[in-house]
Amino acid sequence: MTEFDEDGLPPLDPNFADQFVRDVRRPACQLYLISPLDVSGAFPERLKRALGAGPVAAFQLRVKGVDQHEAARLGEPLRRICADADVAFIVNDDVSLAKRLDADGVHLGQDDGDPREARSVLGPQVQIGVTCHDSRHLAMEAGEAGADYVAFGAFYPTTTKETRHHPDPSILSWWSTMFELPSVAIGGITPANAAPLVKAGADFLAVSNAVWGGDEEAAVKAFAQILI
């Protein structure tokens, strides 16, 4: 009798990631930076240094515990820095803040609203990402709702946020094989442990502490060596 996982799907073979071969028509994996919670003070200069150190596809503003007026004040100079560097500026969780900042996109957690509603507010050109944890079902639902990318994780232990879901890299391989929609790998990713996720089929690596917890220029350069 076939066993099914909590998504109601046959379980993935963990060896699938080892056997996976990336479709040559798919772009190479890219770097997706997520901000620390504190983006005040000298952070804008740190962001400039990071974006100047190597290829970065996107930057996500993730601030907590401040009102929208303050978040917008902090976010506006970062949006301009990203625009100057031709890097997508994404706002975490908050559709109205994304609209206020004229962001390039918004990233939604499972409790942050429906991609369809975000699309109706932000328009057709804005990138909408959805956190899908370790769930193929949630990822397929997000795709059907019009998401532009899905995020899986946490793949490794992380102190950036509390995590309860720890997918196997094979979910990236399965997704890449089945769908054209890009996937983002997130959770504790560093230059030292990123390679298996790239090999498994991640389209983006979302990283935070690995960059902002030390020398941001050196970290971005280290990631660039893995993503070439």
Side-chain angles (χ1 to χ4, degrees):
M1 181 180 293
T2 302
E3 294 183 359
F4 295 91
D5 64 13
E6 59 188 28
D7 285 338
L9 299 167
L12 288 171
D13 179 355
N15 295 320
F16 189 43
D18 294 331
Q19 301 158 4
F20 172 76
V21 177
R22 191 183 194 92
D23 189 325
V24 295
R25 294 168 295 182
R26 210 168 181 108
C29 187
Q30 301 177 78
L31 193 60
Y32 181 148
L33 300 183
I34 298 178
S35 79
L37 294 180
D38 183 0
V39 295
S40 61
F43 182 76
E45 291 303 315
R46 295 193 71 193
L47 178 60
K48 284 182 184 178
R49 288 195 294 272
L51 299 187
V56 176
F59 169 79
Q60 183 186 124
L61 175 67
R62 180 177 179 265
V63 293
K64 305 289 183 181
V66 299
D67 63 28
Q68 189 180 102
H69 178 75
E70 177 65 4
R73 185 188 71 80
L74 292 167
E76 177 57 30
L78 306 181
R79 185 196 66 78
R80 292 196 302 268
I81 290 167
C82 288
D84 289 344
D86 197 24
V87 171
F89 179 76
I90 311 293
V91 168
N92 178 263
D93 290 354
D94 193 329
V95 173
S96 60
L97 179 61
K99 185 173 181 65
R100 180 171 176 171
L101 283 170
D102 193 24
D104 298 302
V106 66
H107 184 88
L108 302 175
Q110 285 297 311
D111 300 321
D112 298 323
D114 187 289
R116 297 177 187 88
E117 295 174 5
R119 181 74 66 203
S120 70
V121 173
L122 299 174
Q125 301 304 317
V126 168
Q127 298 290 303
I128 297 174
V130 177
T131 294
C132 299
H133 304 303
D134 58 355
S135 172
R136 289 176 283 168
H137 176 69
L138 290 178
M140 289 187 285
E141 281 190 336
E144 290 171 0
D148 295 290
Y149 69 83
V150 297
F152 296 110
F155 285 96
Y156 302 116
T158 174
T159 57
T160 302
K161 61 186 295 188
E162 183 180 354
T163 58
R164 295 182 292 109
H165 307 277
H166 303 284
D168 186 89
S170 59
I171 197 170
L172 299 168
S173 307
W174 173 83
W175 184 262
S176 184
T177 300
M178 298 292 291
F179 302 100
E180 293 183 8
L181 205 66
S183 69
V184 175
I186 191 168
I189 300 170
T190 70
N193 63 24
L197 302 178
V198 178
K199 183 180 183 301
D203 294 294
F204 297 90
L205 299 181
V207 301
S208 184
N209 189 60
V211 170
W212 310 120
D215 182 332
E216 61 273 6
E217 289 181 289
V220 170
K221 288 177 180 177
F223 276 113
Q225 292 302 307
I226 297 163
L227 298 176
I228 57 175

